[in-house]
Amino acid sequence: MITDECINCDVCEPECPNDAIYMGEAIYEIDAHKCTECVGHFDVPQCVEICPVACIPVNPAHVETRETLWQKFQRLTRAKAEAQPADGGAGAASATP
């Protein structure tokens, strides 16, 4: 969760490897269904590390164990892989002109 101390400095959103942070009505918000607290990517949540005003505490309504966060990471990773084209997004380029 991001508290109302958020100054909309824009540094947290691009740091999120799961695209869980987005601009809400007035301040940035975190989609709890996408947030893994960076489990699977980093040792610590990157948004918390970079936030200059320390406005990203653990959401008491969404406390999850490391195992639960790991399972969420695996689910999100599978869903992302399944959403990508089989060729990895690369177009079929011809080697000859």
Side-chain angles (χ1 to χ4, degrees):
M1 82 186 251
I2 298 177
T3 67
D4 60 3
E5 284 90 19
C6 176
I7 59 172
N8 293 330
C9 66
D10 303 320
V11 297
C12 61
E13 184 182 26
E15 293 300 316
C16 181
N18 296 318
D19 299 322
I21 299 174
Y22 61 95
M23 183 53 146
E25 200 170 301
I27 60 173
Y28 279 95
E29 297 181 20
I30 298 175
D31 181 344
H33 299 293
K34 290 183 177 181
C35 179
T36 63
E37 298 178 24
C38 289
V39 168
H41 296 283
F42 301 101
D43 292 333
V44 294
Q46 297 301 286
C47 60
V48 173
E49 285 289 298
I50 199 160
C51 181
V53 293
C55 68
I56 310 176
V58 172
N59 185 343
H62 288 76
V63 175
E64 298 172 286
T65 66
R66 190 151 180 88
E67 180 60 30
T68 300
L69 294 167
W70 176 251
Q71 290 170 359
K72 187 190 304 186
F73 162 76
Q74 291 177 317
R75 179 179 45 80
L76 291 168
T77 302
R78 275 192 307 273
K80 189 173 184 179
E82 290 170 0
Q84 292 182 353
D87 67 359
S94 172
T96 57

